[in-house]
């Protein structure tokens, strides 16, 4: 028996906003669209949801195809379904944002997909409503970062306090008072100072820190 024949069909897709942190800037991955409509326009990376997968599974699959990385931090941004958002067909897209460490991303894979990293403050006009997706995703990440230490997923396992501060500034889009920031960080037991020194920026060097997930889970009263 066939159901719902009296209703028109709607295509369902996922689009992924992939954030990375590099050279003190918050960046996202975009590429030139390789299909019609919109061929050649800057676009987020996405795809259609398969008949045998959930939207979350489709997003995870899409992220893995692009990055080769599994178990990424991924959150749903929302549904985008304006009637005229896609000139090809009636397409509703579920947007997701993900956080990755750019150092773990295979450059050959990025180039194979024709993707580039762009500063979130310098994003060109993207296909359809993709700029709106990015704007909403960044706002959600700012809110999440204030209450959960998700930013550590964008950093290497060992980082300096300067790197950490620049990350928060890049996500928030505003400068942070250095003295107050470091005072707050030192109050957090789950941000551990190691005996290692990073000497890439100066002869004196800077202490390297790491995120202790176990200690955070024991006392997750985080707010920055």
């Amino acid at each position: 028996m066939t159901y719902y024949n009296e209703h028109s069909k709607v295509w369902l897709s996922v689009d992924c906003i992939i954030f990375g942190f590099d050279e003190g800037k918050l960046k996202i991955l975009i590429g030139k669209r390789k299909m019609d409509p919109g061929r050649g326009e800057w676009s987020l990376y996405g795809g259609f949801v398969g008949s045998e997968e959930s939207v979350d599974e489709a997003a995870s699959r899409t992220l893995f195809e692009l990055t080769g990385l599994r178990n990424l931090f991924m959150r749903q941004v929302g549904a985008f379904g304006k009637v005229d958002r896609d000139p090809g067909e009636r397409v509703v897209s579920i947007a997701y944002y993900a956080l990755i460490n750019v150092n773990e991303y295979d450059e050959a894979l990025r180039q194979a997909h024709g993707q580039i990293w762009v500063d979130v403050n310098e994003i060109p006009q993207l296909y359809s409503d993709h700029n709106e997706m990015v704007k909403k995703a960044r706002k959600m990440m700012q809110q999440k970062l204030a209450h959960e230490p998700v930013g550590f997923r964008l950093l290497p396992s060992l980082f300096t306090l300067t790197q950490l501060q620049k990350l928060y500034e890049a996500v928030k889009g505003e400068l942070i008072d250095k003295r107050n920031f470091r005072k707050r960080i030192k109050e957090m037991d789950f941000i551990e100072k190691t005996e290692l020194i990073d000497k890439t920026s100066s002869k004196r060097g800077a202490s390297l820190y790491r995120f202790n997930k176990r200690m955070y889970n024991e006392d997750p009263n985080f707010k920055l």
Side-chain angles (χ1 to χ4, degrees):
M1 184 177 294
T2 302
Y3 300 98
Y4 312 129
N5 281 338
E6 69 275 22
H7 298 289
S8 59
K9 288 182 170 58
V10 175
W11 294 85
L12 184 63
S13 68
V14 293
D15 283 297
C16 298
I17 303 107
I18 303 175
F19 289 106
F21 181 67
D22 189 35
E23 298 177 344
K25 298 182 182 298
L26 182 67
K27 300 183 177 182
I28 65 165
L29 277 173
I30 61 172
K32 291 293 184 71
R33 190 170 164 87
K34 298 179 181 179
M35 60 185 291
D36 292 320
R39 185 185 299 270
E41 293 183 31
W42 289 111
S43 171
L44 296 173
Y45 191 83
F48 287 99
V49 179
S51 60
E52 301 298 322
E53 62 184 356
S54 69
V55 289
D56 284 355
E57 289 169 343
S60 294
R61 170 182 55 79
T62 301
L63 285 169
F64 178 71
E65 288 173 357
L66 179 59
T67 68
L69 302 172
R70 295 191 185 277
N71 301 316
L72 294 175
F73 178 89
M74 178 185 80
R75 291 293 184 272
Q76 190 178 115
V77 177
F80 294 76
K82 290 181 180 178
V83 175
D84 60 350
R85 65 174 301 274
D86 192 307
E89 291 286 352
R90 179 76 169 94
V91 181
V92 173
S93 181
I94 311 299
Y96 288 79
Y97 80 87
L99 309 180
I100 71 172
N101 180 344
V102 296
N103 295 320
E104 295 177 355
Y105 186 17
D106 188 336
E107 274 293 293
L109 190 58
R110 179 187 65 77
Q111 294 178 15
H113 283 286
Q115 300 288 301
I116 64 169
W117 287 108
V118 296
D119 186 332
V120 291
N121 298 311
E122 300 175 358
I123 299 172
Q125 181 60 46
L126 303 178
Y127 175 75
S128 185
D129 49 11
H130 289 189
N131 289 85
E132 184 181 344
M133 292 179 181
V134 174
K135 184 177 179 180
K136 186 174 181 180
R138 187 181 185 187
K139 185 175 181 180
M140 289 178 65
M141 186 171 65
Q142 288 172 338
Q143 294 170 342
K144 176 72 73 174
L145 194 68
H147 300 281
E148 293 182 36
V150 295
F152 294 104
R153 296 176 181 269
L154 296 166
L155 292 171
S157 57
L158 295 173
F159 51 86
T160 66
L161 292 185
T162 297
Q163 285 178 303
L164 184 60
Q165 181 175 337
K166 286 184 177 180
L167 168 63
Y168 274 82
E169 289 177 337
V171 173
K172 291 185 174 184
E174 60 185 29
L175 296 177
I176 299 173
D177 181 78
K178 180 177 178 180
R179 182 179 297 178
N180 290 336
F181 181 81
R182 298 200 171 199
K183 179 181 178 182
R184 184 73 183 93
I185 291 298
K186 290 177 180 178
E187 294 172 351
M188 299 175 182
D189 293 337
F190 55 84
I191 301 179
E192 297 180 329
K193 184 178 181 180
T194 71
E195 296 179 354
L196 301 174
I197 301 294
D198 173 30
K199 293 188 176 181
T200 58
S201 57
S202 67
K203 291 183 179 180
R204 181 182 178 186
S207 296
L208 287 166
Y209 290 73
R210 64 187 169 204
F211 172 63
N212 188 317
K213 185 177 181 180
R214 179 185 60 80
M215 292 189 69
Y216 170 74
N217 289 335
E218 292 176 358
D219 185 21
N221 296 316
F222 174 84
K223 187 173 182 180
L224 185 61

